[in-house]
Amino acid sequence: MARKPVKPAELKLRIPRGLHQMIEAEARRNERSLNQEAILRLQRSFSDDQMRDVAKFAALETALSINKTIDLRFANLTDRLNMLFVKLGYPEFALQTTEENNG
């Protein structure tokens, strides 16, 4: 038995006349109906929002990775300086490590 085609939902929308004219002009330029142009632009707006979210997430991951690298390098530098202070006979100048600051 063949399935009935799903009827698209209807959306009655009031938009500013200038916006309507812009969509209409773009629809003509792209050889699409006004409906097709409006649907395509709505779909793209959601895709753009999702792409911005993906970009924000990637930037956050990069920032966290850089922060972790900086923390590790700083800890390594602190350890080296502390060893140097001890070796030179100035243990009182030794820097506190991150664990000592948090503890």
Side-chain angles (χ1 to χ4, degrees), residues 13 24-25 31 36 40 42 52-53 55-56 61 66 69 71-72 74 77 79 82 85 90 101:
L13 187 65
E24 201 169 41
E31 298 180 355
Q36 289 170 328
L40 181 65
L42 281 169
R52 276 191 289 278
D53 290 345
K56 285 178 188 176
E61 278 188 320
I66 290 169
T69 301
D71 284 348
L72 290 172
F74 181 76
L77 181 60
D79 290 343
N82 287 342
F85 286 136
Y90 299 104
N101 285 333

Side-chain angles (χ1 to χ4, degrees), residues 49-69:
D49 288 345
Q50 290 167 346
M51 290 306 294
R52 276 191 289 278
D53 290 345
V54 168
K56 285 178 188 176
F57 183 74
L60 179 60
E61 278 188 320
T62 301
L64 290 172
S65 175
I66 290 169
N67 188 48
K68 185 176 181 179
T69 301

Side-chain angles (χ1 to χ4, degrees), residues 17-52:
R17 192 172 305 281
L19 179 58
H20 183 272
Q21 291 169 343
M22 288 171 62
I23 296 171
E24 201 169 41
E26 285 300 301
R28 274 194 304 276
R29 191 175 71 79
N30 295 317
E31 298 180 355
R32 291 192 270 266
S33 71
L34 182 65
N35 188 62
Q36 289 170 328
E37 188 70 28
I39 289 171
L40 181 65
R41 287 175 177 271
L42 281 169
Q43 287 172 334
R44 283 182 183 164
S45 73
F46 285 109
S47 297
D48 290 347
D49 288 345
Q50 290 167 346
M51 290 306 294
R52 276 191 289 278

Side-chain angles (χ1 to χ4, degrees), residues 72-83:
L72 290 172
R73 288 185 180 176
F74 181 76
N76 188 323
L77 181 60
T78 302
D79 290 343
R80 287 179 170 194
L81 282 171
N82 287 342
M83 285 189 299

